[in-house]
Amino acid sequence: MEKNIVLLPGDGIGPEVVGQAVRVLEAAASAAGASLNFTERLLGGCSIDRFGTAMTDETLADCQKADAVLLGAVGGPKWDDPQAKVRPEQGLLGLRKGLSVFANLRPVRVHPALVSASPLKPERLAGVDLIVVRELTGGLYFGQPKGRQMVDGHEQAVDTLVYTDEEIRRVVRLAFRFAQQRRKKVTSVDKANVLESSRLWRKVAVEVAAEFPDVALEHMLVDTASMRLVSSPAAIDVLVTENMFGDILTDEASVLAGSMGMLPSASLGEGGAGLYEPIHGSAPDIAGKGIANPLGTILSTALLLRYSLNLPEAAARIEAAVDRVISDGLRTVDLGGSLSSKQMTDEVLARLN
Ligand code: NAD
């Protein structure tokens, strides 16, 4: 089996973590009999410096043709001017749109050995193993009309929260499919007591649930969900929600795991290339030092193997190897240790088989 992967290392620590993660991805794929062709392209600040745009049309076309895309991170102080017309994150948003990835998936597990790195009490973290599925291409961030106008002498701003039943159905269905492979429970988060879009969301969620009789559906208001995520996170299996609620809840959920450097993400559509990236940014404060935690990107390659290359055993082997390095007490600087990115990756590779 031959597959094409586009690498978008990006800025800051992006190239450092992607460079290391590719070593693990290659090893796991080749052990599973798959051969991977890698194409590297610029995205973000580095693309602005070279081409004057955060993503060229050629880069997007290469990503659209690929089986999967692995991204590091984009941005940094050099391109941070808020007045600038061309900004690194335009590359990221353009890429998500261009790949039609409508669901962002963030698994959060708390390794028992890392409980002390989390701000939450240990007893609340036992057994936490959840996935947040966030709708990524609709809702308030994209709805029209949006803008400013003068009304009766006052400046007024408008954003529009709009969803179609189809946009809701495809992402809720995806959440149910994930739940089928897991603990068979979907928590659908909305604000149905106030918002019309949420009432449609809830109606569609009920319809989708009828297609999955083996999966339990619970509805939860977003304000309650924000409390439950920190008061009883172990009770959540798959949480699915609209774009803005998901934006906020995914960051809240990431705190459970203690370090930003540990968490992977996947953005998926219907068929087409999936987009895989760690949840952290370009970490300019530690860029170039070779000390970034590569585990979030390494775990993202496990998601890539599972969801884009259909190699679940290879994915599970990477996840087990990462579990073992943590159990064995190996730590990068962000987790209070002293291993470099490369040394940590060497340890993962040593435990892959
Ligand atoms: P950040 O995630 O880059 O860094 C936050 C803190 O976490 C820093 O102290 C950093 O050193 C640490 N950190 C992050 N990843 C780490 C890792 N793998 N190993 C060890 N420590 C790690 O967030 P920020 O500082 O708010 O943003 C920095 C830049 O990254 C900004 O330009 C921002 O726009 C960009 N950013 C990009 C993305 C993305 O590409 N998806 C996401 C968030 C932020």
Side-chain angles (χ1 to χ4, degrees), residues 13 17 73-76 80 92 260-261 277 279-286 292-293 334:
I13 61 169
V17 290
V74 299
D80 255 357
L92 202 53
M260 301 258 290
E277 55 184 308
I279 71 152
H280 61 72
S282 60
D285 52 335
I286 58 165
N293 185 346
D334 55 315

Side-chain angles (χ1 to χ4, degrees), residues 224-275:
T224 309
S226 69
M227 288 193 297
R228 294 283 170 80
L229 262 179
V230 285
S231 61
S232 48
I236 298 171
D237 180 16
V238 178
L239 186 159
V240 62
T241 192
E242 61 97 48
N243 200 344
M244 184 177 66
F245 296 161
D247 192 4
I248 298 165
L249 293 180
T250 44
D251 268 26
E252 189 189 358
S254 71
V255 173
L256 301 171
S259 168
M260 301 258 290
M262 289 291 300
L263 292 179
S265 80
S267 300
L268 306 173
E270 261 147 25
L275 173 63

Side-chain angles (χ1 to χ4, degrees), residues 51 57 89 136 182 206 221 286 291 312 329-330:
F51 302 114
D57 294 344
E89 55 277 12
L136 202 56
R182 298 169 46 90
V206 169
L221 295 176
I286 58 165
I291 58 167
L330 299 160

